[in-house]
C-alpha cells in the first residue's frame, strides 16, 4: 500500500539521502497536477514531495536498472540512464546492464567492443558511451537482478524476448517499455506494455516522445514523456518506483522528461502517428504545400484522440495534445522519416507502397503501412470506419489504389 | 429573436430555395456538436437543419457581401467568396464588392485593372479572379449595402478604416474579421473583432486557419476555421447570418471550412503562434533538429492554451488543439515564414532581431517581435511571467540579449 506522510518520515531516518531540487519543483507545476488528477495515491506523493523544496529523494536500497535491447534507440536510452545512475548513486546502482544480441563485428564481439571501447559501433557509431554501461550478452543475466527493466527492442521481437525472460525476472520488478506501437489482434487493440505485464507479471509503464534517436544521442535538446501508473501493490515511497524515481532516472539537461500516468494515451499516439505521416507524405509528394500538410496533421491528431478515447477510455485527451509523446511526436514524425518518404514517393511515382518499401527501405517495412491495415481491420469489425475518414483514406490509397487527388473529397465534412 | 421551428417552416413558404446537402451533414457531425455546446440558440438551429437531409437553405432576401481590403489574403478571400456567391444566387447577391486602396500601376488604376483584366497584378499576380468580383475604390460605397462585411487589411490600419466606415455601415450588418492578432493596450488584451464591434456597432466573427494565401489562391487544398457567435438580436433563420450561411459563403472543395463559436480562441491562437515561430527559428538556426523544433511547438501550444483560458475564459480548449486556426496554423507558421526566418538568422549570425528585420524584410516587421514584447508587458503587469517560460525566453533572447544556448534551461521544469 501507499505510504502515508508519517511512514515516509519514519523511513527517511533509516535511509540514505540525495538532494534533487529540480525534481520537486516539477511536481508542483500545474500541468503535472492536472495530469495526475484521478490518482489519489499519486497526488498524495506529490503533496508530500512538494512540502519542502529543495527536498530530498530517499530510497531504502538503490535500484538496479537494466536495458533490454541495444539498437540505436536502446543504446541511446541506456546512455541517458547511465548518466543519471552515476550521478545519483544513492538512488540507483551505478552500473547499468544492457542486453546485447551479440554478434561478431570484424572478428570481435559487439559486447566486448562496447565494454572496452565504449561505443556501439554497429547501431550508434560515433557516440561515446558511459563507462558504467555494461553490455551483457545474456538476456537472463541482464534481467535477473533488475529492479527496473527498460524494454527497447523492435516490437516484433517482443513475444520471443518475453518468452526468454520468463522465470528470470525478479518478483516485484517494474518495467518501462520504449516500444512504439500497440498490438492489434482478433481480440482488439492491446498495449505492448500490457503484453509485458501479462506475460511477466510485472507492472509496466512506457516512454515515448519526439525523440529521433541520433539527435538524443548527440545530446541535442529534446523532450519525452514517461507514463507510469502507480500499481496497487506499491511498496511505499523510497521502497518502490514512483514518478520521482522515474524522473531522476530519465531526465537530463538535454532530455526533458514529463512523468504522467497515461500509458495508453502515449502508446496509442505513438502507433497512429505513422498512419498520419503516410498522409503527410501524399500531400507533400503532390506539392500541395504547407497548408495541406498542416491540415493532415490536424485531422490526424483529431482521429488519434478519437481512437484513443474510444478504445482506451482511460486515456486522457491532454496526453494527446499536450505531451511530447502526443502532438510533438506527431509533428517530428510528419517532418521526416520512413513513412512520410513512402507516402511522398507514392504520390510522385504512382508506385505502390509495397514496391517502394522494397526499393527504398532494403526490405525493411514502414510501420505505418502495417498499422494502417490493422487499424482498418479493427475499425471495420467495430463498424466505425466512417468516423475515421483520414485513417480510411490512407487505407484506400495504400491498399485499394484510390487516387491521392481524391484525398480532400474523402476528408470533406 | 431566434426563430422557432414553426417560424422557420412558415418563412420557408414565401422564400426562395436552394439545395445544399453537404451543409447539413456537417451540422450533425460530432465535432461540431461538441463545439456548439453551450449555445442553446445554435443547437436549436442545428436540430432544425439536421431534421431533413439533404435539406434546403432558404433565405428571405439574398445577402450582399463586401470585402474590405485587397492585399494577397484579402484578394484571395474575395475570390473564394465570389465563387460561392455566384454558385448560390438565391442565398447571396452574386456581385461581391472589394474595397481597393487605389493606386496607379504603370499608368492604369489598380481597380480598373482588376475589373477589366480580372487580376490583382500588384498583390496577387498570376491568379485569375472571378468576373463577379468588383474592385471598388470607395470604402464607403463598398460598405454601404453590405449585409456581410469581410475585413481583411493589415491590422495597423484598422483604426483608420473603422473611422472611415462610421456612418456608412448598414444597421444590422454582420462582419467577419480575417485580421490576425489581437490588440494589447493598457487595458489588457482585446480582440480585433471586438474593436470592430465596439466602433461600428455590428456583430463580428473571425476567420483564421493554416492558410498561406498563395497556396489558397492556387486552390491547393487547405482548411480554415470561421468563428461566429449568434448574437442576441439574431433576426431568425433565413433572415440573418448563421453558421450555415457562413459555411456556404466560405467553403470550397479546396478550402474546407469548420464553423464554430469561439472567436476569442482562434484570435488568440492566430496572434501567439508568431512568438512560437521565433522560438522555432532559434532552434532551427542552432541546428538542434526536429525533436527540438517539435518541443518548441508543443510548449508553445501549451502556453497559447494557458494564455487563452487565462485572459479569455470563454475560449474553448478544443479550439486550440482541434481547429485549423489552432494547432494547424501553428504548424504551418513554424514550418516557414517571416518569424521563423528572423529567429533562424539570429541564431546563425548573432545579429539582433531589429538588425535582421531591416536586412531581411525591407523595413517590414516580423509580427512576432511586436507580439513578444506586448505579451511580455502584459504578463508582467499581471505578475504571470513565470507561467509562460517559452514566451518569456523568446522575449529575453529578442530584447535582452539572452543566449539562445540557454533556451533549454529557461524551459526546464
Amino acid at each position: 500500500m501507499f505510504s502515508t506522510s508519517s511512514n515516509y518520515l519514519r523511513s527517511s531516518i533509516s535511509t540514505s539521502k540525495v538532494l534533487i531540487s529540480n525534481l520537486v519543483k516539477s511536481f508542483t507545476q500545474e500541468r503535472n497536477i492536472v495530469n495526475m488528477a484521478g490518482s489519489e495515491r499519486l497526488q498524495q506523493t506529490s503533496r508530500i514531495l512538494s512540502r519542502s523544496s529543495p527536498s530530498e529523494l530517499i530510497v531504502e536500497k538503490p535500484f538496479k536498472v537494466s536495458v533490454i535491447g541495444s539498437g540505436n534507440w536502446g543504446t541511446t536510452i541506456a546512455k541517458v540512464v547511465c548518466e543519471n545512475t552515476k550521478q545519483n548513486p544513492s538512488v540507483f546502482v551505478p552500473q547499468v546492464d544492457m542486453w546485447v544480441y551479440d554478434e561478431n563485428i570484424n572478428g570481435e564481439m559487439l559486447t566486448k567492443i562496447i565494454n572496452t571501447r565504449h561505443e556501439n559501433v554497429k547501431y550508434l557509431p560515433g557516440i561515446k558511451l558511459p563507462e558504467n554501461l555494461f553490455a551483457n550478452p545474456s538476456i537472463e543475466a541482464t534481467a535477473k537482478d533488475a529492479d527496473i527493466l527498460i524494454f527497447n527492442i523492435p516490437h516484433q521481437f517482443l513475444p520471443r524476448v518475453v518468452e526468454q525472460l520468463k522465470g528470470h525476472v525478479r518478483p516485484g520488478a517494474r518495467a518501462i517499455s520504449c516500444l512504439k506501437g500497440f498490438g492489434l489482434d482478433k481480440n482488439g487493440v492491446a498495449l505492448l506494455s500490457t503484453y509485458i505485464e501479462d506475460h511477466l507479471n510485472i507492472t509496466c509503464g512506457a516512454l515515448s516522445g519526439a525523440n529521433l534517436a541520433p539527435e538524443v544521442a548527440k545530446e541535442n535538446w529534446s523532450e519525452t514523456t514517461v507514463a507510469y501508473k502507480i500499481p496497487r501493490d506499491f511498496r511505499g515511497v523510497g521502497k518502490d518506483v514512483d514518478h520521482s524515481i522515474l524522473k531522476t532516472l530519465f531526465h537530463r539537461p538535454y532530455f526533458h522528461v514529463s512523468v504522467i500516468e497515461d500509458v495508453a494515451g502515449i502508446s496509442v499516439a505513438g502507433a497512429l502517428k505513422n498512419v498520419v505521416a503516410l498522409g503527410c507524405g501524399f500531400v507533400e509528394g503532390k506539392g500541395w504545400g504547407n497548408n495541406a500538410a498542416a491540415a493532415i496533421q490536424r485531422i490526424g491528431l483529431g482521429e488519434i484522440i478519437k481512437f484513443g478515447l474510444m478504445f482506451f477510455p482511460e486515456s486522457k485527451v491532454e496526453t494527446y495534445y499536450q505531451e511530447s509523446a502526443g502532438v510533438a511526436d506527431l509533428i517530428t514524425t510528419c517532418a521526416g522519416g520512413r513513412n512520410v518518404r513512402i507516402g511522398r514517393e507514392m504520390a510522385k511515382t504512382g508506385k505502390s507502397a509495397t514496391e517502394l518499401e522494397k526499393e527504398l527501405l532494403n526490405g525493411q517495412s514502414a510501420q505505418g503501412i502495417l498499422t494502417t491495415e490493422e487499424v482498418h481491420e479493427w475499425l471495420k469489425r467495430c463498424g466505425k470506419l466512417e468516423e475515421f475518414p483520414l485513417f480510411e483514406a490512407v487505407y484506400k490509397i495504400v491498399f485499394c489504389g484510390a487516387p491521392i487527388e481524391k484525398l480532400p473529397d474523402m476528408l470533406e465534412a
Side-chain angles (χ1 to χ4, degrees), chain A:
Chain A
M1 285 306 299
F2 189 83
S3 86
T4 61
S5 174
S6 59
N7 282 347
Y8 176 79
L9 291 172
R10 230 175 292 136
S11 75
S12 75
I13 300 166
S14 62
T15 49
S16 60
K17 295 179 179 188
V18 59
L19 199 70
I20 299 175
S21 64
N22 275 332
L23 196 69
V24 167
K25 253 167 64 195
S26 80
F27 269 100
T28 63
Q29 294 234 329
E30 193 185 339
R31 187 160 65 87
N32 282 350
I33 295 289
V34 168
N35 288 329
M36 280 186 261
S39 161
E40 267 208 23
R41 289 190 300 279
L42 200 59
Q43 280 183 353
Q44 202 175 350
T45 318
S46 167
R47 278 193 297 273
I48 294 164
L49 286 175
S50 60
R51 205 164 289 156
S52 55
S53 175
S55 185
E56 295 164 358
L57 187 62
I58 300 145
V59 305
E60 203 171 56
K61 184 171 163 294
F63 297 104
K64 167 71 184 169
V65 182
S66 291
V67 178
I68 303 296
S70 56
N72 71 345
W73 186 220
T75 308
T76 300
I77 278 295
K79 172 180 176 293
V80 165
V81 159
C82 280
E83 289 162 8
N84 283 324
T85 57
K86 190 181 173 190
Q87 200 173 307
N88 299 284
S90 312
V91 184
F92 303 107
V93 176
Q95 181 180 306
V96 173
D97 282 41
M98 172 174 80
W99 172 59
V100 175
Y101 186 87
D102 216 0
E103 53 191 306
N104 192 309
I105 311 275
N106 302 323
E108 211 175 355
M109 295 312 282
L110 182 55
T111 48
K112 196 183 162 199
I113 298 172
I114 294 173
N115 290 333
T116 54
R117 303 216 299 272
H118 308 295
E119 181 183 353
N120 185 338
V121 293
K122 174 125 190 203
Y123 295 107
L124 200 64
I127 300 294
K128 169 92 177 131
L129 299 174
E131 302 201 355
N132 55 324
L133 174 62
F134 179 72
N136 196 327
S138 161
I139 190 169
E140 296 84 356
T142 305
K144 91 175 165 29
D145 295 324
D147 300 300
I148 303 174
L149 274 166
I150 300 167
F151 286 83
N152 206 331
I153 50 173
H155 79 88
Q156 63 269 32
F157 299 150
L158 185 61
R160 202 173 66 199
V161 160
V162 159
E163 211 47 51
Q164 284 181 275
L165 286 174
K166 277 184 185 166
H168 301 282
V169 172
R170 201 172 197 164
R174 310 300 184 184
I176 294 292
S177 158
C178 302
L179 282 64
K180 287 277 164 83
F182 44 48
L184 281 160
D185 62 21
K186 58 181 182 294
N187 301 316
V189 283
L191 305 182
L192 300 178
S193 54
T194 306
Y195 186 93
I196 293 170
E197 291 192 329
D198 290 351
H199 288 78
L200 295 177
N201 196 27
I202 55 176
T203 295
C204 185
L207 179 152
S208 183
N211 300 141
L212 300 173
E215 296 183 9
V216 179
K218 280 188 279 182
E219 305 187 6
N220 285 348
W221 171 63
S222 71
E223 298 184 312
T224 203
T225 311
V226 173
Y228 186 76
K229 203 166 158 59
I230 304 295
R232 287 186 188 283
D233 66 348
F234 181 71
R235 295 181 293 270
V237 173
K239 297 174 186 166
D240 200 347
V241 172
D242 60 18
H243 284 198
S244 61
I245 298 294
L246 292 171
K247 182 140 185 172
T248 311
L249 183 59
F250 290 108
H251 189 86
R252 297 296 301 156
Y254 61 85
F255 191 61
H256 288 196
V257 170
S258 155
V259 189
I260 63 171
E261 290 204 292
D262 186 2
V263 181
I266 77 172
S267 307
V268 168
L272 295 177
K273 66 175 189 183
N274 290 316
V275 181
V276 183
L278 283 167
C280 266
F282 299 152
V283 306
E284 215 185 273
K286 285 286 168 198
W288 290 351
N290 288 332
N291 295 346
I296 293 287
Q297 288 170 71
R298 182 197 77 77
I299 297 169
L301 181 62
E303 294 193 11
I304 288 171
I305 293 173
K306 189 184 247 187
F307 189 100
L309 300 181
M310 192 176 278
F311 300 111
F312 296 93
E314 73 276 25
S315 72
K316 295 201 181 341
V317 67
E318 305 89 66
T319 301
Y320 301 102
Y321 71 78
Q322 193 49 102
E323 288 299 327
S324 177
V327 65
D329 193 18
L330 179 69
I331 291 171
T332 308
T333 304
C334 289
R338 231 180 245 185
N339 294 288
V340 173
R341 196 170 159 212
I342 293 286
R344 189 170 50 220
E345 293 304 315
M346 285 176 69
K348 280 186 176 168
T349 64
K351 290 183 185 171
S352 76
T354 330
E355 276 179 278
L356 288 166
E357 264 187 315
K358 278 182 203 142
E359 276 183 38
L360 300 174
L361 304 180
N362 278 325
Q364 286 186 291
S365 64
Q367 206 207 317
I369 297 174
L370 182 61
T371 308
T372 297
E373 190 174 22
E374 290 174 329
V375 166
H376 166 82
E377 293 301 333
W378 175 245
L379 292 175
K380 193 176 163 188
R381 210 171 324 140
C382 304
K384 297 285 187 190
L385 284 178
E386 282 182 15
E387 295 190 41
F388 298 87
L390 175 64
F391 294 168
E392 187 56 9
V394 172
Y395 175 79
K396 282 187 176 149
I397 290 167
V398 172
F399 289 95
C400 313
I404 292 172
E405 288 74 13
K406 290 280 173 205
L407 188 58
D409 293 348
M410 292 192 261
L411 298 175
E412 183 146 14

